[in-house]
Amino acid sequence: MGAAPKLARLAAHEETLTGTTGYMSPSKAALRPAVHENAAGDLTAARRVLSYASEALNTLSASLDDDFTRAIGMILAAKGRVIVSGMGKSGHVARKTAATLSSTGTPAYFIHPAEASHGDMGAITRADVLLLLSWGGETAELSALLTYAKRYRIPVIGIGSSTYGITLNGAAQQNQSEVFRWAWDNTLTYNKSFGLHSLNVVVGTSALQENLSFSYEYGTGFASNNVQTLNSASSQLALNTTRYAWSTNSYFGRLTYAYNDKYLLTATLRADGSSRVGTNNRWGTFPAVSAGWQISKESFMENVNWVQNLKLRAGWGATGNLPPYTMLYPSYSLYSTGYPYGFSSSSPVPGTVPASQFGNVDLKWESARQTNIGFDAGLVDNRVTLSADYYYKKVHNMIFTQQLPLTTGGKTEAVNLPGYDVNKGFEYNIDAAIIKHKDFDWSVSWNMSFNNNKMSGMDTSISYQTGGVEVGGSKTNIYTGIIKNGYSLGTFWGYKVLGIDQSSGNYVYSDNPQSLGSALPKYTFGFTNNFRYKEFTLSILIDGVHGNKVYNETRMETEPLTGYTNESSEVLHRWEHTGDKTNVPTALGNGTTNTAAAAKLQNQIASNYVEDGSFIRFRNLTLGYDFKPALIKTIGLSSLHLYATAQNLFIITHYKGYYPELNGFGSGTNNQAANAGSASSLMALGVDNGTYPAAKTFTVGLNVSL
C-alpha cells in the first residue's frame, strides 16, 4: 500500500480528517511527538523546500509557512510516492517543490491540474499522496484533479486558501428527484363481418400528465464525521427546489377493412394536444392511410408452388413530435430570482431577472409526413422470406432552439425552422433457412438500409449552427455543424486543410468555410448467422455503417501542439524540417510567431479533425448447449440451456478515436434540438468529445424450465 497507511496513522487523532471530503489540512493539528522525533532530519529538508517556495512566491504568510512545513514533514515521514500540483503562482511553487523533494530522494512528480480534464492521470493513480497548492482561487480548475484523487482513494494534503473542501471543514450536498406520471386510455372497438367483407373500427381517447420535482441542499462546516447529514452543517447552507408539469390529450380513430382477406385498407386519424407547444397551436392533426394486396391469394397464383406469400403494400401518414424534454414551457419567457429592489422609502421587494428562454406562443407541432411502398414475400416453403421498402419522408415545422443575441436579454427561443428535412431511401431484409437437417441447421438474416438526407425549401441566405463544443476550457462554443439549404443534417462546416506549408510547417487552409462531410451514413447493414449441431447452438451477429464522417473533437484537446498538457503520440509525426512528408503540423509555442497558427488548432473547425466513421463490428457471439430431455428429466426439469455470450468482440475501422459509433450530444427524436444543438438532437450528429467506447462484455448463464 506504500505510504497511504502511514499518512492515515499520522492523522488518526486529528479532527481535520473529514469523511465528507477525505482531505487533510495540516494547519489545524500538530504532528504527534513520535513523528517529530523520527522526522527531525526530514523537517530540515522541509525548510529547504520552503525556501525555494518562498523565493517563488513571496506572499506566503507566517501561517502558510507553518502549514507548508507540517505538510512537507508528513510527506517525508511517510516516504512514499508524491504528486504535487498547483496552478498559476501556486503551480510555480508546486514545480519547485516537486523538484526539491526529488533532490532529497523522495519520488515526487508535478502534474498540471488541466491534465485531469483530459483524463491523462495515469501518474496519480499510482501515487501515495497528493500535495495540492492553491493560493489563487482556482477552485473550478482543481475540481477534476480532486475527483481523481477521491476516486482512487489517494490522501490529499491541501495548502492554500481555495482548495475545495479543505478550508470548509467538509462539504456535502443532497439531491432528490421525483417523477409522478398518470395515464388514462379509453378505447371502443366494433367488429363486423358480412360475406367476404370484414370491418374493424376503433375509437378512443388518451390523456397523460407528468409532474416532476427536484430539490438541492448544500452545506459546509462539519464538526466531525459522526453526523454526516446536512443538519450538522454550520455554514453556507443552500436550498433550491424546482417543480415542472406537462400534459397531453389525444383523440383517435382507426378503420380497417378487408375483402376476402386479399384487399386491405386501413385509415387512421388522431388529434393531439399538448402543453409543450405554443399556446396558439396546442393541437395537431395527424392522418394516415395504407393499402395492401395479398397477391399470393389470387387465383392466378394457385399453381406457383414456390411462392407461399406475396403481398404488395403502400401507405402515407403523418406523425407529430414535441419539443425536447429540456423545454417544457416553450410558450413562456422564463425568469429567475434577482436582487431585492428598493423603491423610494419602501422596503426592498424580491426582484426578477430574465432567464435563458424567450417564449414563442406560435410554436407548432413538428410533423413528419412519409410515403412508403413495399412488398413481403415468402418463397420455397417459406424457407426464404424477403421484405423491401422504398420511403420518402418530409419533416415540416422542424423544432429548433435558436441562440439569440445577448442584447435581447435572453439566450434561446424555440422556433419552427422554415423549409423541410427530406429523407428518402431503400431498405430490405432477407431471412433464409439454408440447411434444415435432423442434426444440423443453418439460417441467415441480412438487412441493409440506404438513406439520402437533404434540407430543402430554406432561404439560401440563412443558416443555423449546431453541435457547439468547448475546447481547452474556453467555455465558449465553437460550432461544428450547420443547417443549410441543399445540405444534409449532420453536415460539418469549416475550413478544408490543403496541406502543410513547407516553409513554416503550419497548415494551409481554404479561403472560405465549406462542407466537410456528413455524419449521416450512406448505408447501414446487419448480418446474422445461426447454427445448430445436435445439442449445440451458435449465433453470430455482425453489423456496420459506411459513408459517415466523425468530428474528432478530442483531438483538438490532445493534439494542440502547444501548451503544457500531455498530447497524443500522433504529434511525434509532426513537421520538423523542410521536406518532411506528414499531415501533422509543426509544434507551436505560446508567445511566438506561430501564435496565430496555434490558436487555429483549438478554435477553428477544420477538415484535419474530420475522419471516416465507417466500421464493421463483430457485435455478438453466443454459444449454447441444450441438455437432452432424458438427462434432465431425472432432476425434475423440462429444459436446461447453458450459454456463453461475448459482445463487442472487435471492430474494424480507420477512425483514430476510441470508438466510431457515437454521438456526443445523444440521440433525439426526429429533429429536436436544444441550446443551438448542444443537447440531444439529430441536428448535431457525429461529434466525439470524449464519448466512452462500448465495453466488451462476456456472459455465462443458464436458462431453466421446470
Side-chain angles (χ1 to χ4, degrees):
M1 294 293 293
K6 297 181 182 179
L7 285 171
R9 287 197 297 273
L10 283 174
H13 300 289
E14 297 180 14
E15 295 183 355
T16 52
L17 255 183
T18 64
T20 42
T21 60
Y23 308 136
M24 291 177 287
S25 175
S27 62
K28 298 183 180 179
L31 298 173
R32 294 188 296 174
V35 176
H36 275 293
E37 294 172 5
N38 296 334
D42 291 334
L43 288 177
T44 302
R47 284 293 176 181
R48 179 182 171 194
V49 173
L50 184 61
S51 67
Y52 278 93
S54 299
E55 178 185 345
L57 185 61
N58 295 322
T59 58
L60 281 171
S61 66
S63 61
L64 288 179
D65 185 295
D66 293 338
D67 287 353
F68 203 92
T69 301
R70 292 191 182 100
I72 300 300
M74 293 172 69
I75 289 171
L76 295 174
K79 300 187 184 302
R81 180 186 175 95
V82 184
I83 295 296
V84 188
S85 186
M87 293 183 67
K89 292 181 178 180
S90 307
H92 189 32
V93 177
R95 288 179 184 274
K96 286 270 190 178
T97 301
T100 309
L101 283 171
S102 296
S103 69
T104 66
T106 299
Y109 306 87
F110 171 78
I111 283 184
H112 194 280
E115 296 179 28
S117 65
H118 300 300
D120 188 12
M121 297 300 296
I124 195 174
T125 62
R126 300 185 295 274
D128 296 305
V129 64
L130 169 64
L131 174 62
L132 196 55
L133 311 181
S134 174
W135 291 287
E138 312 91 347
T139 301
E141 290 82 353
L142 295 175
S143 60
L145 186 63
L146 293 170
T147 299
Y148 265 88
K150 183 177 180 180
R151 180 184 305 170
Y152 294 100
R153 299 185 177 181
I154 299 165
V156 178
I157 299 178
I159 305 295
S161 60
S162 63
T163 306
Y164 181 79
I166 296 174
T167 58
L168 300 179
N169 286 329
Q173 73 178 53
Q174 178 173 302
N175 300 308
Q176 291 182 327
S177 63
E178 179 180 288
V179 178
F180 176 77
R181 175 188 292 181
W182 62 261
W184 189 31
D185 298 327
N186 299 273
T187 58
L188 180 65
T189 303
Y190 172 77
N191 286 298
K192 179 67 174 178
S193 295
F194 42 99
L196 298 177
H197 306 271
S198 63
L199 185 67
N200 172 267
V201 180
V202 177
V203 294
T205 65
S206 178
L208 179 147
Q209 180 168 312
E210 185 172 274
N211 300 306
L212 306 93
S213 60
F214 307 93
S215 67
Y216 163 82
E217 301 163 0
Y218 173 82
T220 63
F222 291 81
S224 71
N225 291 326
N226 294 331
V227 181
Q228 297 188 8
T229 52
L230 283 164
N231 62 302
S232 64
S234 61
S235 60
Q236 292 192 28
L237 297 173
L239 178 65
N240 185 14
T241 60
T242 308
R243 181 175 295 175
Y244 304 97
W246 65 275
S247 61
T248 61
N249 191 20
S250 304
Y251 301 92
F252 55 87
R254 184 189 69 201
L255 182 147
T256 302
Y257 169 77
Y259 175 75
N260 200 21
D261 203 25
K262 290 191 297 185
Y263 310 108
L264 313 171
L265 177 68
T266 300
T268 64
L269 179 66
R270 63 179 299 132
D272 295 297
S274 177
S275 63
R276 287 170 56 184
V277 290
T279 53
N280 292 343
N281 294 290
R282 289 292 196 205
W283 290 88
T285 303
F286 309 104
V289 61
S290 63
W293 178 22
Q294 198 72 45
I295 302 174
S296 54
K297 293 188 176 182
E298 295 288 356
S299 57
F300 58 80
M301 294 292 294
E302 290 179 356
N303 296 323
V304 185
N305 298 324
W306 55 276
V307 177
Q308 280 67 52
N309 177 49
L310 182 60
K311 180 181 179 181
L312 182 66
R313 46 187 169 73
W316 175 90
T319 58
N321 199 48
L322 290 171
Y325 202 72
T326 53
M327 182 172 284
L328 298 182
Y329 303 102
S331 290
Y332 303 98
S333 297
L334 303 183
Y335 295 89
S336 297
T337 56
Y339 290 103
Y341 289 90
F343 300 94
S344 301
S345 60
S346 62
S347 300
V349 297
T352 60
V353 295
S356 61
Q357 176 184 303
F358 267 11
N360 180 5
V361 295
D362 295 319
L363 185 70
K364 300 177 182 179
W365 281 77
E366 181 178 288
S367 176
R369 305 173 188 179
Q370 179 168 326
T371 300
N372 190 91
I373 301 174
F375 71 90
D376 302 309
L379 313 174
V380 195
D381 294 329
N382 282 319
R383 290 183 60 172
V384 177
T385 60
L386 172 65
S387 178
D389 290 270
Y390 169 81
Y391 61 88
Y392 180 89
K393 180 179 179 182
K394 194 173 185 178
V395 182
H396 298 242
N397 299 321
M398 291 174 294
I399 297 175
F400 182 74
T401 307
Q402 167 175 262
Q403 194 81 26
L404 299 175
L406 294 179
T407 53
T408 63
K411 294 182 180 179
T412 60
E413 179 186 21
V415 297
N416 295 111
L417 287 185
Y420 313 100
D421 171 27
V422 178
N423 288 273
K424 55 184 177 180
F426 174 75
E427 55 190 17
Y428 67 91
N429 182 84
I430 301 175
D431 295 300
I434 298 176
I435 299 176
K436 294 184 70 174
H437 191 269
K438 177 182 178 182
D439 292 331
F440 181 70
D441 292 341
W442 176 25
S443 63
V444 299
S445 179
W446 170 268
N447 65 79
M448 202 167 188
S449 178
F450 301 85
N451 182 68
N452 180 272
N453 174 269
K454 185 174 291 186
M455 296 296 300
S456 68
M458 293 180 63
D459 187 334
T460 56
S461 64
I462 297 176
S463 61
Y464 298 84
Q465 293 178 313
T466 66
V469 296
E470 298 173 0
V471 182
S474 66
K475 305 301 180 184
T476 301
N477 272 337
I478 306 171
Y479 293 98
T480 60
I482 197 170
I483 302 174
K484 188 177 177 67
N485 192 67
Y487 294 87
S488 73
L489 291 180
T491 293
F492 299 118
W493 194 261
Y495 293 86
K496 184 176 179 61
V497 172
L498 304 177
I500 292 180
D501 183 354
Q502 285 297 316
S503 63
S504 65
N506 296 327
Y507 277 139
V508 178
Y509 299 95
S510 61
D511 293 333
N512 298 302
Q514 57 188 267
S515 171
L516 303 178
S518 173
L520 296 179
K522 294 179 180 178
Y523 63 82
T524 64
F525 66 89
F527 183 44
T528 302
N529 280 271
N530 293 302
F531 302 92
R532 181 194 63 84
Y533 176 69
K534 295 186 176 180
E535 284 74 37
F536 289 94
T537 59
L538 177 66
S539 177
I540 301 171
L541 171 59
I542 297 172
D543 65 354
V545 302
H546 178 76
N548 62 304
K549 300 295 183 182
V550 172
Y551 192 87
N552 194 343
E553 186 269 341
T554 307
R555 288 179 50 212
M556 297 182 78
E557 304 275 7
T558 60
E559 298 176 20
L561 289 157
T562 185
Y564 304 105
T565 60
N566 285 342
E567 302 193 14
S568 75
S569 59
E570 188 70 17
V571 302
L572 297 176
H573 306 295
R574 66 187 180 276
W575 183 95
E576 296 184 76
H577 307 286
T578 302
D580 286 350
K581 295 182 179 180
T582 178
N583 57 1
V584 183
T586 186
L588 305 164
N590 286 323
T592 71
T593 55
N594 272 333
T595 299
K600 287 183 178 180
L601 289 178
Q602 281 202 320
N603 64 22
Q604 180 171 277
I605 304 302
S607 62
N608 54 301
Y609 299 121
V610 177
E611 302 179 28
D612 182 8
S614 305
F615 66 84
I616 299 175
R617 173 175 51 191
F618 202 102
R619 185 164 185 169
N620 184 280
L621 173 68
T622 300
L623 178 65
Y625 180 80
D626 290 299
F627 289 85
K628 295 182 178 180
L631 177 63
I632 61 176
K633 185 177 181 180
T634 58
I635 56 175
L637 300 179
S638 60
S639 68
L640 181 61
H641 179 73
L642 173 67
Y643 66 91
T645 298
Q647 292 182 318
N648 301 312
L649 279 177
F650 64 85
I651 191 168
I652 301 172
T653 182
H654 294 297
Y655 181 59
K656 296 178 182 178
Y658 284 120
Y659 209 68
E661 186 180 50
L662 51 90
N663 184 10
F665 303 103
S667 54
T669 339
N670 264 355
N671 302 300
Q672 297 177 1
N675 298 330
S678 63
S680 296
S681 168
L682 289 185
M683 292 182 175
L685 291 170
V687 178
D688 184 357
N689 56 352
T691 304
Y692 199 80
K696 291 182 180 180
T697 305
F698 300 92
T699 306
V700 177
L702 278 173
N703 291 331
V704 180
S705 298
L706 300 177

